[in-house]
Amino acid sequence: MNEERAMIAETCDRLFAEHLDADVFRAAEAGDFPQGLWDVITENGLDRILVSEEKGGSGLGWEDAEVVLRAAGAHAAPVPLAEAIAAGWMFAGGGHDIPAGVPTIADAPPVAMTEAGITGELERVPWGRSATHVLVDAMRGDALHLAAVATSDTRVTADRNIGRDPRDALTCDKTSVTAWEVSIGTPPLRTLGALVRSCQMAGAISAALDLCVTYANERVQFGRPIGRFQAIQQQLAVMAGEAAAAGVAARKACRAVDRFGLDGAGLSAIAAAKIRTGEAAGKTASIAHQVHGAIGFTDEYRLHHLTRRLWAWRSEFGAEGAWSEMLGSMIITRGADNLWPDLTG
């Protein structure tokens, strides 16, 4: 990590440590938007880290954004920061100003769009009730578009995921949109969503590992810390390996997107990252609760904030099965002669 990314990481950790406590979690998971935390995030420009300086952002790349997303995951931040970073990048990339308020992205297959707008239900939109605009993958004829929907023009039905973060349904009835055509072959929001969730999972996995190591060194059983028992050490070693693999996969995907965009090598790296971090999330959550025992489920303890979101993020924007199918299709299309160079490149 270079000096600039180290400073970003330090800033994020300090910000979340100072503004995200048990009361904020409790209120957010009861349905109240943590406006104070969000204000601090936007005042520091974390939501616009990928937007050019001319448009009010920082003009940095995905490798820098990965640091922010990992920190948000490590703190299980109950705000749509990942969605705002992705939406801001797509608005700016399309040559559009980012609307004021809270932007988010839809986790859904492309919807049909006509001259009259969009009709139908957008399911499980992250923070749909609090967002001012939601970006949606849309099809007009055979052309793939991005469509920006003002949530004030929709009917919101509140829901939430297992992490207790809002995942609301937005009903559109010939809702007018601002839309622009995109030139890549796969729905960009599903791909971007997989990328940001991979980074968040890498951060949450690393934080869960830290909690387990600390607990294993403090919890005494039969006269010694449980971390001195070989069975616990073996579990922590497995968990450390999963954390390292997840972190490398997420960082490599961000680096690939900086170089290649969302197609080709960028898309295959994102697919690999979502598969690997998803697998690591399942193993990590299981081991973390085995190491902690019952205390891991108590309301006051931090572990369940991480593991509940790991379970949720693993299934959002495509689980391992969907991305494995995508990656396999890409490998078959490129042919056997490219398999070894792709694996080692």
Side-chain angles (χ1 to χ4, degrees):
M1 183 181 293
N2 62 30
E3 185 175 346
E4 185 175 41
R5 289 174 192 145
M7 290 176 61
I8 295 172
E10 182 180 343
T11 299
C12 292
D13 284 335
R14 185 175 64 251
L15 183 153
F16 288 124
E18 291 177 354
H19 298 278
L20 182 53
D21 57 21
D23 290 337
V24 174
F25 266 116
R26 199 168 290 116
E29 295 188 355
D32 296 333
F33 186 72
Q35 191 63 52
L37 174 61
W38 183 250
D39 288 344
V40 174
I41 287 172
T42 56
E43 287 166 6
N44 281 272
L46 299 181
D47 58 322
R48 299 196 177 196
I49 189 169
L50 296 173
V51 178
S52 68
E53 294 182 9
E54 291 76 21
K55 289 184 175 294
S58 303
L60 299 177
W62 274 102
E63 274 202 88
D64 307 296
E66 185 259 352
V67 176
V68 176
L69 293 165
R70 276 184 64 104
H75 290 270
V79 286
L81 176 56
E83 291 80 359
I85 288 175
W89 193 59
M90 297 310 292
F91 272 114
H96 297 271
D97 291 331
I98 303 172
V102 181
T104 188
I105 60 175
D107 177 11
V111 299
M113 181 175 62
T114 67
E115 293 295 333
I118 291 175
T119 296
E121 187 171 275
L122 306 174
E123 297 179 345
R124 306 193 67 73
V125 176
W127 281 273
R129 76 192 70 170
S130 305
T132 52
H133 289 77
V134 55
L135 269 183
V136 184
D137 290 322
M139 297 295 295
R140 177 180 288 167
D142 296 329
L144 185 60
H145 288 69
L146 280 174
V149 180
T151 55
S152 57
D153 295 334
T154 67
R155 187 177 75 251
V156 179
T157 303
D159 200 353
R160 64 180 187 174
N161 63 13
I162 192 173
R164 300 176 191 163
D165 291 326
R167 295 294 184 267
D168 306 318
L170 305 182
T171 303
C172 303
D173 183 10
K174 297 180 180 177
T175 303
S176 61
V177 299
T178 300
W180 60 97
E181 188 172 345
V182 293
S183 57
I184 67 173
T186 55
L189 296 180
R190 184 176 178 83
T191 307
L192 268 185
L195 177 62
V196 298
R197 288 290 184 267
S198 297
C199 297
Q200 289 174 288
M201 284 193 284
I205 289 167
S206 180
L209 173 63
D210 290 344
L211 282 178
C212 286
V213 171
T214 300
Y215 181 77
N217 284 321
E218 293 176 347
R219 177 76 167 94
V220 175
Q221 189 66 278
F222 305 115
R224 56 178 174 167
I226 62 172
R228 294 186 184 176
F229 290 97
Q230 191 172 28
I232 299 294
Q233 292 172 353
Q234 191 273 337
Q235 291 286 65
L236 293 179
V238 171
M239 198 172 172
E242 294 297 318
V248 169
R251 194 175 310 116
K252 187 176 188 303
C254 289
R255 186 176 303 161
V257 174
D258 279 336
R259 292 184 61 192
F260 305 109
L262 295 178
D263 261 338
L267 179 60
S268 62
I270 291 172
K274 190 65 164 62
I275 295 166
R276 192 64 190 88
T277 54
E279 290 176 346
K283 293 178 183 176
T284 297
S286 175
I287 293 173
H289 282 289
Q290 289 173 20
V291 170
H292 278 83
I295 193 174
F297 294 96
T298 55
D299 187 58
E300 295 80 5
Y301 196 65
R302 183 169 163 242
L303 180 63
H304 69 99
H305 292 301
L306 297 166
T307 53
R308 282 190 285 104
R309 286 173 174 82
L310 281 174
W311 290 320
W313 293 339
R314 183 181 184 184
S315 63
E316 292 180 343
F317 296 100
E320 295 99 282
W323 284 105
S324 295
E325 187 175 341
M326 163 75 81
L327 188 57
S329 297
M330 294 179 68
I331 291 171
I332 292 171
T333 301
R334 283 182 54 77
D337 291 343
N338 288 310
L339 178 57
W340 184 249
D342 286 349
L343 287 174
T344 57

